[in-house]
Amino acid sequence: MTRLLLVYALLTGTIGFLLRPDEYSGNGETPTHWRGLASNMIKQKARLQLNVGVAKNVIMFIGDGMGISTVTAGRILKGQLAGQTGEEEYLSFENFPYTGLSKTYSQDSQVTDSASASTSYFCGVKANIGTLGLDGRSTRGQCSTQHNYEISSILDWSIAAGKSVGFVTTARVTHATPAGLYANIAERHWEGDIYTRNQTGGCKDIAAQLVDDYKQMQVILGGGREFFQRFDQMDPERGDNSRYGRRDGRDLIQEWKTGQHGLNRNSAYVWNETAFNQIDPTTTDSVLGLFEQSHMQYDYDRFDPRYEKAGEPSIANMTELAIKILSKNPNGYFLMVEGAKIDHGHHEGRAKLALYDVLAFEKAVDTADRITSETDTLTIVTADHGHTLSISGYPSRGNGIFDKVDTSLAQDGKPYTTLLYANGQGYRVHNGSRPDITNVDTTIDQYQQEAAVPLAQETHSGEDVAIYARGPMSHLLTGVHEDSNIAGVMAYASCVGAYSNYADCAASLTSG
Ligand SMILES: *[C@@H]1O[C@H](CO)[C@@H](O)[C@H](O)[C@H]1NC(C)=O
Ligand SMILES: *[C@@H]1O[C@H](CO)[C@@H](O)[C@H](O)[C@H]1NC(C)=O
Ligand SMILES: *[C@@H]1O[C@H](CO)[C@@H](O)[C@H](O)[C@H]1NC(C)=O
Ligand SMILES: *[C@@H]1O[C@H](CO)[C@@H](O)[C@H](O)[C@H]1NC(C)=O
């Protein structure tokens, strides 16, 4: 017996030894490979020069809800779609020269929402949950408390400096993230007059604030026609009228066109991809694109006729058009791009939808990188908050990111998936115990990963999110930051707002 074992050990030892070189060449991960990666990185980073120039342009990308676990899972998905094991992949913005962490809590909450977060990183002031463009003295949902507490944003400062401004989102253009740029309102849900008309205190709805107060805005691309059209106007794509339509008799789309005409601008209003693709940025001064009655589709569903009728552009193509229009201004521009559907997928507890939108968002960042230069453009990629997604268990290297953990079962003898949520709709108990998912296909887009706590919607999470930055002054974003610092860095780098007369800015401007 002992002798047999000895022979067996010798054989396997020998075979193992012989196999080892092959094993490495399988995916090339030899010791030389890992040490080579380090040495290449060192060669590159050791030569990094601080870019202390002026940012003529600032582009801020917000992956809504793109917490760190979402970035990791997104990069694994990207690698696996490219036929790799996945973990070794990078999303392109992870290669930006500087990264930092952002503390996302709001004035009144450990875990923030998109409204208080956008107020914080666009206006530079932490605020209360649910409020937009107001400081922490206002009370959510109370119209009368919003007056006198209004605060300005990087968008206002950029307009004052003579720059062109605009934004792209895959949510409604009146939704919390973009509205943090331009609205001052005590309740993020007051997107149309259907919500404000019964308020006492004279609060103007978010859509009306955009059209009335921001005629300067040259790019508005996203969803949300319902808050711009009268309730009795037929939606061109849906063929119905939204119950959220306007009751004040205003057709804000028509008013936007008239306003742009009044500014002598060659403007375009579009609501589908065909018309979008026909816009010539060289001759177009301003664009309003409203591609859905409400939010735009998940990128995963964009070509699915069950969801999308008239066709809508990708976030990458919207970003490209935005930059081409805005960059005609010799004073530069400020652009915000929001990947909103990452957040929506997570709220539904459907990680696959969220992660495919991470990849669509990455393409938008790539597009911007391709057509801008880090010499004069500060690009920031960050998130407003995370989600409760976890990547756990000990799945094998290369195990499908949407698959069950392949190395072990749970204590109840049933399989579990690598991706799980802490809370949300994925909570399932059948007959007193966790369901058996052995025969469940967990890789389909509609699959809801299991959750520990039942909630109507999966929630945001409170841990830090990452900031990725390149371009002028991007090194200021290394380290651990309050999310509100980001507004200051953008203003300082582009010499606007409180920093428009800052000595360093003036010096750089004259020397540059
Ligand atoms: C606003 O008031 C009208 C008339 O009193 C009422 O019918 C409607 O339901 C109210 N709307 C909201 C959103 O409360
Ligand atoms: C797109 O919009 C244009 C302008 O309103 C319209 O003529 C065209 O039919 C629309 N295309 C589709 C596919 O709905
Ligand atoms: C962008 O639009 C072009 C057509 O103008 C299309 O061929 C391309 O696939 C689009 N890109 C994305 C990422 O959707
Ligand atoms: C419920 O669980 C009990 C105890 O485990 C089992 O005896 C019973 O068959 C189960 N019922 C169903 C409908 O699965």
Side-chain angles (χ1 to χ4, degrees), residues 404 414-415 435-442 447:
K404 295 151 205 162
K414 298 169 191 169
D436 187 351
I437 57 168
T438 305
N439 298 315
V440 173
D441 182 357
T442 59
Y447 181 71

Side-chain angles (χ1 to χ4, degrees), residues 303-339:
F303 301 106
D304 190 329
R306 282 177 300 172
Y307 306 108
E308 180 51 23
K309 293 197 176 74
E312 52 184 55
S314 63
I315 185 171
N317 280 358
M318 291 196 286
T319 301
E320 180 160 3
L321 181 75
I323 292 172
K324 287 183 172 167
I325 289 178
L326 298 176
S327 59
K328 291 186 289 181
N329 184 337
N331 293 329
Y333 59 87
F334 171 82
L335 170 67
M336 191 283 290
V337 179
E338 182 199 19

Side-chain angles (χ1 to χ4, degrees), residues 120-348:
S120 187
Y121 56 70
F122 290 144
C123 305
V125 177
K126 283 202 191 256
N128 292 326
I129 278 221
T131 64
L132 286 162
L134 305 176
D135 71 32
R137 289 171 291 178
S138 63
T139 307
R140 178 178 191 172
Q142 288 186 25
C143 179
S144 57
T145 69
Q146 79 179 44
H147 305 291
N148 304 323
Y149 304 138
E150 297 175 345
I151 47 178
S152 56
S153 77
I154 179 73
L155 188 102
D156 300 301
W157 312 331
S158 301
I159 291 174
K163 293 179 185 295
S164 287
V165 298
F167 71 85
V168 168
T169 177
T170 47
R172 296 187 292 264
V173 299
T174 48
H175 207 238
T177 297
L181 285 170
Y182 64 83
N184 309 98
I185 199 155
E187 174 56 65
R188 58 178 284 179
H189 293 137
W190 294 347
E191 293 175 66
D193 75 314
I194 179 96
Y195 301 113
T196 46
R197 66 199 196 106
N198 291 1
Q199 301 297 327
T200 49
C203 287
K204 188 189 274 190
D205 65 274
I206 297 173
Q209 287 193 27
L210 176 56
V211 172
D212 291 348
D213 308 337
Y214 283 89
K215 294 195 177 60
Q216 281 305 317
M217 196 98 79
Q218 281 172 257
V219 174
I220 304 171
L221 294 172
R225 290 188 295 264
E226 60 192 352
F227 296 119
F228 290 74
Q229 295 187 297
R230 291 195 314 266
F231 76 99
D232 58 350
Q233 277 176 304
M234 203 65 94
D235 186 82
E237 183 176 24
R238 302 247 151 198
D240 62 5
N241 38 32
S242 165
R243 62 195 173 99
Y244 302 111
R246 302 194 70 83
R247 308 284 158 146
D248 58 5
R250 298 182 65 180
D251 172 352
L252 292 184
I253 294 169
Q254 189 52 51
E255 289 189 26
W256 179 84
K257 291 181 193 169
T258 310
Q260 295 300 302
H261 189 250
L263 291 175
N264 251 328
R265 283 182 177 165
N266 181 21
S267 68
Y269 166 69
V270 291
W271 58 270
N272 62 52
E273 187 178 24
T274 318
F276 171 87
N277 284 339
Q278 283 160 2
I279 296 174
D280 177 357
T282 62
T283 57
T284 305
D285 305 315
S286 57
V287 60
L288 171 65
L290 299 174
F291 302 104
E292 269 296 328
Q293 198 171 46
S294 181
H295 300 301
M296 289 177 72
Q297 305 293 349
Y298 288 107
D299 194 71
Y300 193 85
D301 294 336
R302 229 161 29 92
F303 301 106
D304 190 329
R306 282 177 300 172
Y307 306 108
E308 180 51 23
K309 293 197 176 74
E312 52 184 55
S314 63
I315 185 171
N317 280 358
M318 291 196 286
T319 301
E320 180 160 3
L321 181 75
I323 292 172
K324 287 183 172 167
I325 289 178
L326 298 176
S327 59
K328 291 186 289 181
N329 184 337
N331 293 329
Y333 59 87
F334 171 82
L335 170 67
M336 191 283 290
V337 179
E338 182 199 19
K341 303 297 291 187
I342 301 167
D343 182 63
H344 298 177
H346 282 323
H347 277 309
E348 283 191 41

Side-chain angles (χ1 to χ4, degrees), residues 347-359:
H347 277 309
E348 283 191 41
R350 296 188 159 97
K352 186 166 183 179
L353 295 175
L355 296 189
Y356 271 80
D357 258 284
V358 170
L359 303 189

